[in-house]
mmCIF file of all heavy atoms in Angstrom:
data_model
loop_
_atom_site.group_PDB
_atom_site.id
_atom_site.type_symbol
_atom_site.label_atom_id
_atom_site.label_comp_id
_atom_site.label_asym_id
_atom_site.label_seq_id
_atom_site.Cartn_x
_atom_site.Cartn_y
_atom_site.Cartn_z
ATOM 1 N N SER U 1 85.443 109.001 99.441
ATOM 2 C CA SER U 1 86.846 108.879 99.920
ATOM 3 C C SER U 1 86.941 107.979 101.128
ATOM 4 O O SER U 1 86.323 108.246 102.189
ATOM 5 C CB SER U 1 87.377 110.272 100.277
ATOM 6 O OG SER U 1 88.627 110.121 100.913
ATOM 7 N N ILE U 2 87.689 106.893 101.005
ATOM 8 C CA ILE U 2 87.901 105.951 102.093
ATOM 9 C C ILE U 2 89.373 106.010 102.461
ATOM 10 O O ILE U 2 90.251 105.521 101.700
ATOM 11 C CB ILE U 2 87.506 104.538 101.711
ATOM 12 C CG1 ILE U 2 86.025 104.483 101.282
ATOM 13 C CG2 ILE U 2 87.677 103.582 102.881
ATOM 14 C CD1 ILE U 2 85.523 103.159 100.726
ATOM 15 N N LYS U 3 89.665 106.659 103.562
ATOM 16 C CA LYS U 3 91.078 106.836 103.970
ATOM 17 C C LYS U 3 91.575 105.659 104.770
ATOM 18 O O LYS U 3 91.071 105.347 105.832
ATOM 19 C CB LYS U 3 91.172 108.114 104.791
ATOM 20 C CG LYS U 3 92.602 108.443 105.268
ATOM 21 C CD LYS U 3 92.645 109.739 106.087
ATOM 22 C CE LYS U 3 94.019 109.991 106.610
ATOM 23 N NZ LYS U 3 94.105 111.263 107.385
ATOM 24 N N ILE U 4 92.605 105.003 104.227
ATOM 25 C CA ILE U 4 93.197 103.865 104.961
ATOM 26 C C ILE U 4 94.719 104.053 105.110
ATOM 27 O O ILE U 4 95.391 103.267 105.792
ATOM 28 C CB ILE U 4 92.952 102.549 104.260
ATOM 29 C CG1 ILE U 4 93.621 102.445 102.893
ATOM 30 C CG2 ILE U 4 91.439 102.270 104.147
ATOM 31 C CD1 ILE U 4 93.586 101.050 102.256
ATOM 32 N N LEU U 5 95.284 105.081 104.496
ATOM 33 C CA LEU U 5 96.765 105.354 104.537
ATOM 34 C C LEU U 5 97.042 106.548 105.390
ATOM 35 O O LEU U 5 96.342 107.569 105.334
ATOM 36 C CB LEU U 5 97.334 105.573 103.159
ATOM 37 C CG LEU U 5 97.134 104.431 102.122
ATOM 38 C CD1 LEU U 5 97.755 104.842 100.776
ATOM 39 C CD2 LEU U 5 97.768 103.167 102.592
ATOM 40 N N ASN U 6 98.130 106.511 106.147
ATOM 41 C CA ASN U 6 98.521 107.634 106.981
ATOM 42 C C ASN U 6 99.388 108.598 106.204
ATOM 43 O O ASN U 6 99.560 108.483 104.989
ATOM 44 C CB ASN U 6 99.227 107.141 108.241
ATOM 45 C CG ASN U 6 100.514 106.391 107.981
ATOM 46 O OD1 ASN U 6 101.081 106.501 106.902
ATOM 47 N ND2 ASN U 6 101.008 105.637 108.943
ATOM 48 N N LYS U 7 99.995 109.561 106.884
ATOM 49 C CA LYS U 7 100.773 110.584 106.201
ATOM 50 C C LYS U 7 102.022 110.016 105.538
ATOM 51 O O LYS U 7 102.583 110.663 104.647
ATOM 52 C CB LYS U 7 101.168 111.698 107.215
ATOM 53 C CG LYS U 7 102.078 111.212 108.356
ATOM 54 C CD LYS U 7 102.360 112.364 109.287
ATOM 55 C CE LYS U 7 103.234 111.865 110.463
ATOM 56 N NZ LYS U 7 103.536 112.979 111.420
ATOM 57 N N ASP U 8 102.447 108.826 105.958
ATOM 58 C CA ASP U 8 103.600 108.146 105.340
ATOM 59 C C ASP U 8 103.157 107.135 104.304
ATOM 60 O O ASP U 8 103.989 106.340 103.803
ATOM 61 C CB ASP U 8 104.440 107.471 106.410
ATOM 62 C CG ASP U 8 104.966 108.426 107.472
ATOM 63 O OD1 ASP U 8 105.446 109.529 107.031
ATOM 64 O OD2 ASP U 8 104.866 108.135 108.672
ATOM 65 N N LEU U 9 101.912 107.171 103.937
ATOM 66 C CA LEU U 9 101.309 106.225 103.021
ATOM 67 C C LEU U 9 101.445 104.777 103.440
ATOM 68 O O LEU U 9 101.638 103.876 102.656
ATOM 69 C CB LEU U 9 101.892 106.430 101.582
ATOM 70 C CG LEU U 9 101.640 107.762 100.937
ATOM 71 C CD1 LEU U 9 102.208 107.799 99.532
ATOM 72 C CD2 LEU U 9 100.162 108.073 100.901
ATOM 73 N N LYS U 10 101.346 104.564 104.749
ATOM 74 C CA LYS U 10 101.335 103.237 105.302
ATOM 75 C C LYS U 10 99.941 102.862 105.791
ATOM 76 O O LYS U 10 99.164 103.723 106.221
ATOM 77 C CB LYS U 10 102.311 103.186 106.530
ATOM 78 C CG LYS U 10 103.753 103.563 106.166
ATOM 79 C CD LYS U 10 104.373 102.505 105.234
ATOM 80 C CE LYS U 10 105.869 102.877 104.964
ATOM 81 N NZ LYS U 10 106.468 101.964 104.022
ATOM 82 N N GLY U 11 99.635 101.530 105.664
ATOM 83 C CA GLY U 11 98.323 101.077 106.105
ATOM 84 C C GLY U 11 98.401 99.582 106.370
ATOM 85 O O GLY U 11 99.490 99.013 106.428
ATOM 86 N N HIS U 12 97.271 98.955 106.436
ATOM 87 C CA HIS U 12 97.197 97.496 106.716
ATOM 88 C C HIS U 12 96.309 96.818 105.692
ATOM 89 O O HIS U 12 95.281 97.388 105.222
ATOM 90 C CB HIS U 12 96.591 97.282 108.133
ATOM 91 C CG HIS U 12 96.852 95.906 108.653
ATOM 92 N ND1 HIS U 12 96.149 94.805 108.268
ATOM 93 C CD2 HIS U 12 97.795 95.461 109.536
ATOM 94 C CE1 HIS U 12 96.565 93.729 108.906
ATOM 95 N NE2 HIS U 12 97.551 94.094 109.681
ATOM 96 N N SER U 13 96.669 95.609 105.301
ATOM 97 C CA SER U 13 95.914 94.872 104.352
ATOM 98 C C SER U 13 94.436 94.684 104.713
ATOM 99 O O SER U 13 93.549 94.689 103.865
ATOM 100 C CB SER U 13 96.531 93.447 104.141
ATOM 101 O OG SER U 13 97.838 93.536 103.656
ATOM 102 N N LEU U 14 94.171 94.525 106.010
ATOM 103 C CA LEU U 14 92.814 94.378 106.495
ATOM 104 C C LEU U 14 91.968 95.619 106.127
ATOM 105 O O LEU U 14 90.770 95.494 105.910
ATOM 106 C CB LEU U 14 92.759 94.081 107.986
ATOM 107 C CG LEU U 14 93.194 92.706 108.384
ATOM 108 C CD1 LEU U 14 93.229 92.629 109.948
ATOM 109 C CD2 LEU U 14 92.187 91.662 107.863
ATOM 110 N N CYS U 15 92.609 96.774 106.125
ATOM 111 C CA CYS U 15 91.881 97.983 105.807
ATOM 112 C C CYS U 15 91.552 98.070 104.328
ATOM 113 O O CYS U 15 90.523 98.700 103.955
ATOM 114 C CB CYS U 15 92.675 99.217 106.221
ATOM 115 S SG CYS U 15 92.833 99.394 108.015
ATOM 116 N N ILE U 16 92.324 97.422 103.501
ATOM 117 C CA ILE U 16 91.963 97.350 102.054
ATOM 118 C C ILE U 16 90.661 96.557 101.943
ATOM 119 O O ILE U 16 89.735 96.959 101.235
ATOM 120 C CB ILE U 16 93.064 96.649 101.234
ATOM 121 C CG1 ILE U 16 94.388 97.449 101.248
ATOM 122 C CG2 ILE U 16 92.589 96.394 99.798
ATOM 123 C CD1 ILE U 16 95.541 96.829 100.515
ATOM 124 N N ILE U 17 90.615 95.447 102.668
ATOM 125 C CA ILE U 17 89.430 94.579 102.620
ATOM 126 C C ILE U 17 88.196 95.348 103.132
ATOM 127 O O ILE U 17 87.152 95.347 102.477
ATOM 128 C CB ILE U 17 89.643 93.308 103.473
ATOM 129 C CG1 ILE U 17 90.787 92.457 102.812
ATOM 130 C CG2 ILE U 17 88.410 92.486 103.562
ATOM 131 C CD1 ILE U 17 91.369 91.445 103.727
ATOM 132 N N LYS U 18 88.304 96.004 104.295
ATOM 133 C CA LYS U 18 87.228 96.736 104.865
ATOM 134 C C LYS U 18 86.795 97.911 103.950
ATOM 135 O O LYS U 18 85.635 98.181 103.833
ATOM 136 C CB LYS U 18 87.576 97.218 106.238
ATOM 137 C CG LYS U 18 86.466 98.013 106.944
ATOM 138 C CD LYS U 18 85.134 97.330 107.025
ATOM 139 C CE LYS U 18 85.150 96.170 108.003
ATOM 140 N NZ LYS U 18 83.788 95.586 108.210
ATOM 141 N N GLY U 19 87.789 98.514 103.345
ATOM 142 C CA GLY U 19 87.500 99.635 102.427
ATOM 143 C C GLY U 19 86.671 99.186 101.232
ATOM 144 O O GLY U 19 85.716 99.884 100.832
ATOM 145 N N ILE U 20 86.992 98.043 100.656
ATOM 146 C CA ILE U 20 86.203 97.476 99.583
ATOM 147 C C ILE U 20 84.820 97.129 100.037
ATOM 148 O O ILE U 20 83.844 97.407 99.311
ATOM 149 C CB ILE U 20 86.925 96.301 98.943
ATOM 150 C CG1 ILE U 20 88.277 96.710 98.312
ATOM 151 C CG2 ILE U 20 86.062 95.598 97.855
ATOM 152 C CD1 ILE U 20 89.183 95.560 97.857
ATOM 153 N N GLU U 21 84.689 96.554 101.197
ATOM 154 C CA GLU U 21 83.395 96.207 101.743
ATOM 155 C C GLU U 21 82.508 97.479 101.902
ATOM 156 O O GLU U 21 81.351 97.465 101.597
ATOM 157 C CB GLU U 21 83.536 95.518 103.106
ATOM 158 C CG GLU U 21 84.093 94.116 103.017
ATOM 159 C CD GLU U 21 84.312 93.476 104.366
ATOM 160 O OE1 GLU U 21 84.270 94.172 105.408
ATOM 161 O OE2 GLU U 21 84.634 92.227 104.396
ATOM 162 N N LEU U 22 83.133 98.534 102.414
ATOM 163 C CA LEU U 22 82.372 99.811 102.547
ATOM 164 C C LEU U 22 81.983 100.348 101.190
ATOM 165 O O LEU U 22 80.820 100.869 101.027
ATOM 166 C CB LEU U 22 83.221 100.837 103.272
ATOM 167 C CG LEU U 22 83.259 100.764 104.816
ATOM 168 C CD1 LEU U 22 84.228 101.789 105.361
ATOM 169 C CD2 LEU U 22 81.853 100.930 105.362
ATOM 170 N N ALA U 23 82.832 100.273 100.206
ATOM 171 C CA ALA U 23 82.509 100.713 98.830
ATOM 172 C C ALA U 23 81.314 99.969 98.284
ATOM 173 O O ALA U 23 80.461 100.544 97.621
ATOM 174 C CB ALA U 23 83.714 100.631 97.917
ATOM 175 N N ILE U 24 81.290 98.691 98.542
ATOM 176 C CA ILE U 24 80.128 97.852 98.123
ATOM 177 C C ILE U 24 78.882 98.317 98.787
ATOM 178 O O ILE U 24 77.817 98.502 98.168
ATOM 179 C CB ILE U 24 80.410 96.375 98.390
ATOM 180 C CG1 ILE U 24 81.614 95.841 97.591
ATOM 181 C CG2 ILE U 24 79.177 95.513 98.071
ATOM 182 C CD1 ILE U 24 82.122 94.507 97.981
ATOM 183 N N GLU U 25 78.925 98.486 100.109
ATOM 184 C CA GLU U 25 77.753 98.916 100.928
ATOM 185 C C GLU U 25 77.265 100.265 100.441
ATOM 186 O O GLU U 25 76.049 100.521 100.462
ATOM 187 C CB GLU U 25 78.176 99.009 102.413
ATOM 188 C CG GLU U 25 78.397 97.641 103.038
ATOM 189 C CD GLU U 25 78.941 97.807 104.459
ATOM 190 O OE1 GLU U 25 78.864 98.926 105.035
ATOM 191 O OE2 GLU U 25 79.426 96.811 105.019
ATOM 192 N N GLU U 26 78.163 101.144 100.011
ATOM 193 C CA GLU U 26 77.791 102.481 99.527
ATOM 194 C C GLU U 26 77.234 102.495 98.126
ATOM 195 O O GLU U 26 76.824 103.508 97.649
ATOM 196 C CB GLU U 26 79.002 103.403 99.619
ATOM 197 C CG GLU U 26 79.374 103.856 101.007
ATOM 198 C CD GLU U 26 78.368 104.827 101.618
ATOM 199 O OE1 GLU U 26 77.839 105.655 100.854
ATOM 200 O OE2 GLU U 26 78.151 104.705 102.820
ATOM 201 N N GLY U 27 77.268 101.342 97.475
ATOM 202 C CA GLY U 27 76.710 101.251 96.090
ATOM 203 C C GLY U 27 77.699 101.786 95.064
ATOM 204 O O GLY U 27 77.235 102.181 93.979
ATOM 205 N N CYS U 28 78.958 101.774 95.342
ATOM 206 C CA CYS U 28 79.959 102.239 94.355
ATOM 207 C C CYS U 28 80.045 101.305 93.185
ATOM 208 O O CYS U 28 79.964 100.050 93.344
ATOM 209 C CB CYS U 28 81.314 102.410 95.025
ATOM 210 S SG CYS U 28 81.401 103.715 96.258
ATOM 211 N N GLU U 29 80.192 101.891 92.026
ATOM 212 C CA GLU U 29 80.268 101.051 90.796
ATOM 213 C C GLU U 29 81.701 100.857 90.312
ATOM 214 O O GLU U 29 81.971 99.960 89.517
ATOM 215 C CB GLU U 29 79.506 101.784 89.688
ATOM 216 C CG GLU U 29 78.004 101.914 90.022
ATOM 217 C CD GLU U 29 77.381 103.061 89.288
ATOM 218 O OE1 GLU U 29 77.390 104.194 89.834
ATOM 219 O OE2 GLU U 29 76.860 102.875 88.172
ATOM 220 N N MET U 30 82.613 101.704 90.839
ATOM 221 C CA MET U 30 84.035 101.581 90.476
ATOM 222 C C MET U 30 84.825 101.845 91.771
ATOM 223 O O MET U 30 84.445 102.655 92.611
ATOM 224 C CB MET U 30 84.439 102.561 89.403
ATOM 225 C CG MET U 30 83.741 102.285 88.065
ATOM 226 S SD MET U 30 84.601 103.093 86.708
ATOM 227 C CE MET U 30 86.180 102.239 86.746
ATOM 228 N N ILE U 31 86.023 101.177 91.837
ATOM 229 C CA ILE U 31 86.912 101.381 92.978
ATOM 230 C C ILE U 31 88.310 101.724 92.448
ATOM 231 O O ILE U 31 88.853 101.001 91.646
ATOM 232 C CB ILE U 31 86.981 100.168 93.870
ATOM 233 C CG1 ILE U 31 85.578 99.864 94.505
ATOM 234 C CG2 ILE U 31 87.997 100.356 94.991
ATOM 235 C CD1 ILE U 31 85.504 98.594 95.327
ATOM 236 N N ASN U 32 88.825 102.867 92.889
ATOM 237 C CA ASN U 32 90.154 103.322 92.532
ATOM 238 C C ASN U 32 91.119 102.958 93.660
ATOM 239 O O ASN U 32 91.023 103.479 94.772
ATOM 240 C CB ASN U 32 90.163 104.825 92.354
ATOM 241 C CG ASN U 32 91.483 105.363 91.832
ATOM 242 O OD1 ASN U 32 91.588 105.922 90.734
ATOM 243 N ND2 ASN U 32 92.582 105.268 92.609
ATOM 244 N N LEU U 33 92.006 101.958 93.403
ATOM 245 C CA LEU U 33 92.979 101.517 94.428
ATOM 246 C C LEU U 33 94.381 101.870 93.886
ATOM 247 O O LEU U 33 94.994 101.051 93.199
ATOM 248 C CB LEU U 33 92.875 100.051 94.650
ATOM 249 C CG LEU U 33 91.793 99.561 95.642
ATOM 250 C CD1 LEU U 33 91.596 98.053 95.498
ATOM 251 C CD2 LEU U 33 92.191 99.931 97.074
ATOM 252 N N SER U 34 94.865 103.071 94.189
ATOM 253 C CA SER U 34 96.195 103.432 93.737
ATOM 254 C C SER U 34 97.191 102.964 94.824
ATOM 255 O O SER U 34 98.065 103.702 95.305
ATOM 256 C CB SER U 34 96.269 104.950 93.592
ATOM 257 O OG SER U 34 95.493 105.385 92.503
ATOM 258 N N LEU U 35 97.059 101.707 95.150
ATOM 259 C CA LEU U 35 97.838 101.068 96.219
ATOM 260 C C LEU U 35 97.695 99.551 96.121
ATOM 261 O O LEU U 35 96.997 99.037 95.235
ATOM 262 C CB LEU U 35 97.383 101.557 97.583
ATOM 263 C CG LEU U 35 95.906 101.506 97.905
ATOM 264 C CD1 LEU U 35 95.473 100.076 98.334
ATOM 265 C CD2 LEU U 35 95.497 102.494 98.982
ATOM 266 N N GLY U 36 98.365 98.866 96.983
ATOM 267 C CA GLY U 36 98.283 97.398 97.027
ATOM 268 C C GLY U 36 99.158 96.876 98.166
ATOM 269 O O GLY U 36 99.779 97.684 98.887
ATOM 270 N N THR U 37 99.186 95.603 98.287
ATOM 271 C CA THR U 37 100.033 94.970 99.357
ATOM 272 C C THR U 37 100.837 93.799 98.760
ATOM 273 O O THR U 37 100.316 93.099 97.912
ATOM 274 C CB THR U 37 99.185 94.454 100.535
ATOM 275 O OG1 THR U 37 100.030 93.823 101.480
ATOM 276 C CG2 THR U 37 98.114 93.480 100.063
ATOM 277 N N THR U 38 102.082 93.679 99.188
ATOM 278 C CA THR U 38 102.912 92.549 98.770
ATOM 279 C C THR U 38 102.818 91.423 99.803
ATOM 280 O O THR U 38 103.330 90.328 99.581
ATOM 281 C CB THR U 38 104.383 92.946 98.647
ATOM 282 O OG1 THR U 38 104.814 93.555 99.879
ATOM 283 C CG2 THR U 38 104.541 93.974 97.523
ATOM 284 N N SER U 39 102.132 91.677 100.913
ATOM 285 C CA SER U 39 101.935 90.642 101.922
ATOM 286 C C SER U 39 100.936 89.565 101.485
ATOM 287 O O SER U 39 99.958 89.890 100.827
ATOM 288 C CB SER U 39 101.439 91.292 103.260
ATOM 289 O OG SER U 39 101.077 90.289 104.186
ATOM 290 N N LEU U 40 101.199 88.331 101.831
ATOM 291 C CA LEU U 40 100.278 87.267 101.487
ATOM 292 C C LEU U 40 99.384 86.854 102.696
ATOM 293 O O LEU U 40 98.604 85.908 102.572
ATOM 294 C CB LEU U 40 101.093 86.012 101.041
ATOM 295 C CG LEU U 40 101.998 86.224 99.812
ATOM 296 C CD1 LEU U 40 102.738 84.911 99.472
ATOM 297 C CD2 LEU U 40 101.194 86.698 98.612
ATOM 298 N N ASP U 41 99.569 87.548 103.799
ATOM 299 C CA ASP U 41 98.899 87.166 105.042
ATOM 300 C C ASP U 41 97.373 87.111 104.883
ATOM 301 O O ASP U 41 96.720 86.230 105.454
ATOM 302 C CB ASP U 41 99.274 88.131 106.197
ATOM 303 C CG ASP U 41 100.717 88.010 106.608
ATOM 304 O OD1 ASP U 41 101.341 87.006 106.200
ATOM 305 O OD2 ASP U 41 101.153 88.881 107.374
ATOM 306 N N TYR U 42 96.799 88.048 104.133
ATOM 307 C CA TYR U 42 95.314 88.081 104.007
ATOM 308 C C TYR U 42 94.903 87.959 102.594
ATOM 309 O O TYR U 42 93.842 88.393 102.199
ATOM 310 C CB TYR U 42 94.830 89.408 104.590
ATOM 311 C CG TYR U 42 95.174 89.586 106.063
ATOM 312 C CD1 TYR U 42 96.328 90.273 106.489
ATOM 313 C CD2 TYR U 42 94.415 88.980 107.056
ATOM 314 C CE1 TYR U 42 96.656 90.392 107.836
ATOM 315 C CE2 TYR U 42 94.717 89.116 108.397
ATOM 316 C CZ TYR U 42 95.835 89.817 108.772
ATOM 317 O OH TYR U 42 96.201 89.944 110.098
ATOM 318 N N LEU U 43 95.704 87.252 101.795
ATOM 319 C CA LEU U 43 95.412 87.198 100.362
ATOM 320 C C LEU U 43 94.097 86.492 100.087
ATOM 321 O O LEU U 43 93.311 86.918 99.233
ATOM 322 C CB LEU U 43 96.582 86.443 99.631
ATOM 323 C CG LEU U 43 96.373 86.290 98.101
ATOM 324 C CD1 LEU U 43 96.142 87.652 97.440
ATOM 325 C CD2 LEU U 43 97.593 85.557 97.502
ATOM 326 N N ASN U 44 93.798 85.412 100.797
ATOM 327 C CA ASN U 44 92.527 84.724 100.588
ATOM 328 C C ASN U 44 91.325 85.637 100.872
ATOM 329 O O ASN U 44 90.303 85.616 100.196
ATOM 330 C CB ASN U 44 92.435 83.449 101.465
ATOM 331 C CG ASN U 44 93.316 82.336 100.910
ATOM 332 O OD1 ASN U 44 93.616 82.313 99.725
ATOM 333 N ND2 ASN U 44 93.705 81.436 101.786
ATOM 334 N N ASN U 45 91.462 86.444 101.928
ATOM 335 C CA ASN U 45 90.400 87.407 102.275
ATOM 336 C C ASN U 45 90.239 88.470 101.197
ATOM 337 O O ASN U 45 89.139 88.888 100.874
ATOM 338 C CB ASN U 45 90.736 88.084 103.620
ATOM 339 C CG ASN U 45 90.856 87.043 104.736
ATOM 340 O OD1 ASN U 45 91.940 86.420 104.856
ATOM 341 N ND2 ASN U 45 89.892 86.846 105.573
ATOM 342 N N ILE U 46 91.389 88.939 100.663
ATOM 343 C CA ILE U 46 91.354 89.920 99.601
ATOM 344 C C ILE U 46 90.647 89.329 98.382
ATOM 345 O O ILE U 46 89.834 89.965 97.747
ATOM 346 C CB ILE U 46 92.766 90.378 99.240
ATOM 347 C CG1 ILE U 46 93.350 91.238 100.388
ATOM 348 C CG2 ILE U 46 92.788 91.186 97.959
ATOM 349 C CD1 ILE U 46 94.796 91.635 100.205
ATOM 350 N N LYS U 47 91.022 88.091 98.026
ATOM 351 C CA LYS U 47 90.386 87.411 96.902
ATOM 352 C C LYS U 47 88.879 87.340 97.055
ATOM 353 O O LYS U 47 88.116 87.561 96.091
ATOM 354 C CB LYS U 47 90.988 86.049 96.679
ATOM 355 C CG LYS U 47 92.394 86.014 96.112
ATOM 356 C CD LYS U 47 92.899 84.571 95.996
ATOM 357 C CE LYS U 47 94.265 84.533 95.349
ATOM 358 N NZ LYS U 47 94.782 83.143 95.240
ATOM 359 N N LYS U 48 88.478 86.975 98.270
ATOM 360 C CA LYS U 48 87.028 86.777 98.512
ATOM 361 C C LYS U 48 86.239 88.084 98.348
ATOM 362 O O LYS U 48 85.171 88.116 97.674
ATOM 363 C CB LYS U 48 86.784 86.265 99.909
ATOM 364 C CG LYS U 48 87.142 84.775 100.100
ATOM 365 C CD LYS U 48 86.919 84.341 101.543
ATOM 366 C CE LYS U 48 87.309 82.844 101.751
ATOM 367 N NZ LYS U 48 87.171 82.447 103.168
#
């Protein structure tokens, strides 16, 4: 469990990126992202 959302289900795009990085480091084979961002600010970083 990688918690990036608060009680109002709000978070930051950078935390999505860091969350995926942590999942990779932990050796996870699948990632469940029941969320997303409409912001384009960090889209290139998300793609990478």
Side-chain angles (χ1 to χ4, degrees):
S1 171
I2 303 174
K3 179 179 177 179
I4 66 169
L5 301 179
N6 62 19
K7 62 182 179 180
D8 300 315
L9 297 184
K10 301 294 183 182
H12 197 283
S13 298
L14 286 174
C15 291
I16 296 177
I17 296 165
K18 179 55 72 173
I20 295 170
E21 289 176 350
L22 277 177
I24 296 169
E25 290 172 14
E26 286 289 324
C28 294
E29 298 155 271
M30 295 198 65
I31 298 176
N32 186 117
L33 278 167
S34 291
L35 51 81
T37 178
T38 56
S39 171
L40 301 180
D41 291 348
Y42 300 95
L43 181 55
N44 286 336
N45 303 78
I46 291 174
K47 286 179 177 178
K48 285 179 182 177

